């Protein structure tokens, strides 16, 4: 019997499965959206991946900024140990510059080939100790990641050029320029001179009276090189390097043909020496530098008359002179008239360092002096006038010790009838030309003397007629008789 196909029965709407239901458009969109929790997890995963990728990129950028990038190599610090042989000499370091990669460990083999003691320390702190001439030492400076300097810490040696530049490859040029500028700047702690200040009641001036030449033809003299802290202007103290604890050093006097045996003993903290301009001797024998605790005998014969400078000649000589190591040797000419008074005045500049410390070598190199003074103290013969009588004949010996500035020695209200400069009379009293002189002009290391007589009581100012320096301390006063009113100019 034939079968009849029965069409499927259509279910009522409420019994149909959900997929068969007609849905509005909004329902379709909601069904395609992921649940919130799943979305959050996915987003966090993406952010984490991006963060890791960004960290890698930044690390690559940072490494590319390291010094090695300058040569195109991988920029990571090498960590290698670099060893350098360094020679120290008198006011130089050789080589003066070395180059490394960031992160290199630096070792220095240091040899002192100079004639004095030197050291070499990174930033003035870590390195080889003070080495005697011929000494050697090795210093491990550790890992260095940026441009740096090592230098000799002996006073003045860094400023004189004893610097080792440690260059890290690729370091910004601006940093090097900044370091160079800082190296040449004066110390802001340098003491300031107050030209309106006055000395304490117990202050004593340097006695300018010149003693007669001692008898005999052989003079045995002892000089001790010693560091002392002394007042150089009211309220200003400096650590001075001196001969026998005084500035200027002892004034020596003799006649042509006399022999001087000078025993120098170094009781200071660094090498020192002597250079007598009145002598004729090899500089590497009598003038050699001796170390603390050592002595030498410097013998010379005075073959020529004059007012001669002596000073320490140890490098940097500028620093040793500028810090007080100078004095005068007076060898009388065969013809020397009788006078009532003889005085000696040594003009020099003052370059202050910090209170109680040595003078500033950088200022000396630039000739930026803080004051000019006679016999080692600013304005001292203004505070302690030199007293003479009306009608007295006075001879004033003058040495310009410098180390940099010249002098035009002048005494206000007088005329010099006799002038002796650099071994010869330029003018003598009673000359047929009736000539007189107003000033004795001297360059550093030149000397001479003048003679004069005052005819009225009063104050007679002693100055250098380079008047900018009068206001900087190069001023003294001769008081003749009843001086009366104080000086008004």
């Amino acid at each position: 019997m034939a079968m009849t196909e029965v069409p499927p029965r259509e279910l009522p709407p409420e019994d149909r499965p959900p997929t068969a239901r007609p849905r509005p458009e909004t329902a379709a969109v909601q069904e395609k959206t992921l649940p919130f929790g799943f979305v959050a997890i996915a987003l966090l995963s993406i952010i984490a991946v991006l963060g890791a990728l960004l960290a890698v990129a930044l690390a690559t950028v940072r490494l590319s900024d390291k010094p090695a990038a300058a040569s195109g190599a991988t920029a990571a610090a090498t960590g290698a140990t670099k060893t350098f042989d360094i020679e120290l000499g008198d006011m130089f370091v050789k080589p003066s510059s070395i180059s490394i990669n960031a992160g290199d460990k630096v070792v220095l083999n240091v040899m002192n080939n100079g004639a004095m003691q030197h050291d070499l320390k990174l930033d003035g702190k870590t390195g080889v100790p003070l080495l005697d001439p011929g000494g050697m030492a090795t210093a491990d400076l550790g890992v260095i990641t940026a441009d740096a300097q090592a230098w000799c810490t002996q006073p003045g040696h860094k400023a004189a050029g004893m610097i080792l530049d440690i260059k890290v490859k690729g370091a910004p040029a601006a940093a090097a320029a900044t370091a160079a500028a800082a190296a040449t700047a004066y110390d802001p702690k340098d003491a300031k001179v107050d030209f309106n200040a006055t000395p304490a009641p117990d202050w004593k001036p340097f006695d300018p009276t010149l003693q007669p030449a001692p008898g005999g033809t052989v003079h045995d003299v002892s000089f001790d090189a010693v560091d002392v802290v002394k007042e150089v202007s009211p309220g200003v103290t400096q650590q001075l390097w001196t001969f026998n604890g005084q500035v200027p050093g002892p004034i020596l006097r003799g006649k042509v043909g006399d022999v001087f045996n000078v025993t120098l003993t170094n009781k200071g903290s660094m090498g020192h020496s002597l250079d007598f301009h009145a002598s004729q001797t090899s500089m590497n024998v009598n003038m050699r530098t001796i170390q603390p605790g050592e002595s030498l005998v410097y013998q010379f014969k005075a073959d020529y008359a004059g007012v001669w400078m002596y000073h320490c000649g140890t490098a940097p000589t500028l620093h040793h002179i500028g810090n007080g190591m100078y004095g005068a040797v007076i060898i009388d000419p065969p013809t020397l008239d009788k006078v009532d008074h003889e005085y000696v005045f040594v003009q020099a500049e003052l370059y202050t360092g910090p209170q109680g410390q040595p003078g500033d070598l950088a200022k000396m190199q630039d000739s930026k002096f803080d004051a000019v003074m006679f016999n080692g103290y600013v304005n001292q013969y203004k505070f302690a006038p030199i007293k003479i009588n009306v009608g007295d004949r006075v001879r004033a010996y003058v040495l310009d010790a410098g180390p940099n500035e010249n002098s035009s020695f002048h005494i206000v209200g007088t005329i010099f009838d006799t002038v002796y400069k650099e071994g010869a009379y330029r003018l003598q009293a009673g000359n047929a030309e009736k000539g007189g002189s107003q000033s004795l002009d001297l360059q550093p290391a030149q000397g001479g003397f003048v003679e004069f007589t005052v005819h009225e009581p009063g104050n007679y100012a002693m100055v250098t007629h380079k008047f900018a320096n009068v206001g900087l301390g190069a001023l003294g006063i001769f008081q003749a008789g009843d001086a009366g009113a104080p000086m008004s100019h």
Side-chain angles (χ1 to χ4, degrees), residues 49 102 276 350:
V49 171
F276 281 100
L350 173 66

Side-chain angles (χ1 to χ4, degrees), residues 77-442:
T78 65
T81 297
K82 298 291 182 66
T83 301
F84 300 90
D85 293 331
I86 304 296
E87 176 189 357
L88 303 181
D90 294 335
M91 305 310 110
F92 70 84
V93 178
K94 185 178 180 180
S96 60
S97 179
I98 59 175
S99 181
I100 63 169
N101 292 313
D104 281 351
K105 180 179 179 181
V106 176
V107 176
L108 303 180
N109 295 323
V110 181
M111 174 73 177
N112 181 10
N113 286 332
M116 64 190 75
Q117 293 178 320
H118 297 295
D119 61 16
L120 189 66
K121 296 182 182 293
L122 178 66
D123 293 331
K125 299 175 182 178
T126 303
V128 299
L130 206 60
L131 300 176
D132 290 330
M136 298 182 63
T138 297
D140 184 345
L141 302 186
V143 173
I144 296 179
T145 58
D147 285 358
Q149 286 186 328
W151 59 79
C152 179
T153 64
Q154 288 276 63
H157 289 198
K158 177 185 177 185
M162 293 197 70
I163 300 173
L164 172 66
D165 285 314
I166 304 173
K167 300 291 187 181
V168 175
K169 294 177 183 177
T178 300
T184 59
Y186 305 142
D187 192 334
K189 296 179 182 178
D190 285 351
K192 302 296 187 292
V193 176
D194 181 357
F195 294 100
N196 294 315
T198 56
D202 60 351
W203 170 78
K204 293 182 179 180
F206 184 100
D207 185 356
T209 303
L210 179 63
Q211 300 301 320
T217 58
V218 177
H219 309 289
D220 296 321
V221 183
S222 294
F223 278 11
D224 290 340
V226 59
D227 304 345
V228 298
V229 176
K230 292 178 68 71
E231 187 175 74
V232 294
S233 182
V236 177
T237 61
Q238 296 283 274
Q239 185 196 81
L240 302 175
W241 308 330
T242 72
F243 296 114
N244 289 3
Q246 64 182 69
V247 176
I251 307 299
L252 305 184
R253 191 174 189 182
K255 295 180 173 59
V256 174
D258 286 0
V259 174
F260 290 81
N261 297 311
V262 182
T263 300
L264 173 65
T265 301
N266 189 351
K267 297 181 179 179
S269 59
M270 68 197 76
H272 291 300
S273 64
L274 270 173
D275 176 356
F276 281 100
H277 289 194
S279 72
Q280 300 176 91
T281 183
S282 172
M283 62 180 290
N284 64 325
V285 180
N286 282 338
M287 300 182 193
R288 69 185 183 275
T289 295
I290 62 172
Q291 302 305 324
E294 296 180 345
S295 295
L296 67 77
V297 177
Y298 189 137
Q299 183 185 81
F300 69 93
K301 181 181 178 182
D303 293 320
Y304 296 94
V307 179
W308 305 93
M309 182 178 178
Y310 71 82
H311 59 85
C312 178
T314 297
T317 303
L318 174 63
H319 201 193
H320 289 247
I321 297 174
N323 211 48
M325 301 195 82
Y326 56 83
V329 177
I330 296 171
I331 305 300
D332 294 336
T335 57
L336 195 61
D337 294 336
K338 187 180 185 322
V339 294
D340 297 299
H341 304 283
E342 290 184 308
Y343 301 104
V344 60
F345 303 102
V346 181
Q347 179 182 308
E349 303 107 58
L350 173 66
Y351 302 84
T352 63
Q355 189 81 338
Q357 298 299 312
D360 191 327
L361 177 58
K363 288 180 182 176
M364 297 176 197
Q365 291 170 325
D366 293 338
S367 196
K368 297 294 185 182
F369 44 85
D370 295 273
V372 177
M373 53 195 179
F374 293 121
N375 292 346
Y377 195 94
V378 174
N379 281 331
Q380 72 173 315
Y381 302 115
K382 180 181 96 171
F383 304 128
I386 301 164
K387 296 183 179 182
I388 59 176
N389 297 314
V390 174
D392 284 350
R393 185 158 183 78
V394 177
R395 181 180 294 127
Y397 290 83
V398 185
L399 171 71
D400 182 7
N404 299 318
E405 182 69 342
N406 55 25
S407 177
S408 177
F409 187 80
H410 172 75
I411 299 177
V412 179
T414 69
I415 293 175
F416 305 145
D417 61 27
T418 298
V419 175
Y420 181 93
K421 176 185 174 183
E422 285 295 282
Y425 282 100
R426 307 301 171 92
L427 181 69
Q428 286 188 274
N431 62 87
E433 294 83 4
K434 300 294 184 182
S437 175
Q438 58 203 310
S439 176
L440 172 61
D441 60 311
L442 301 171

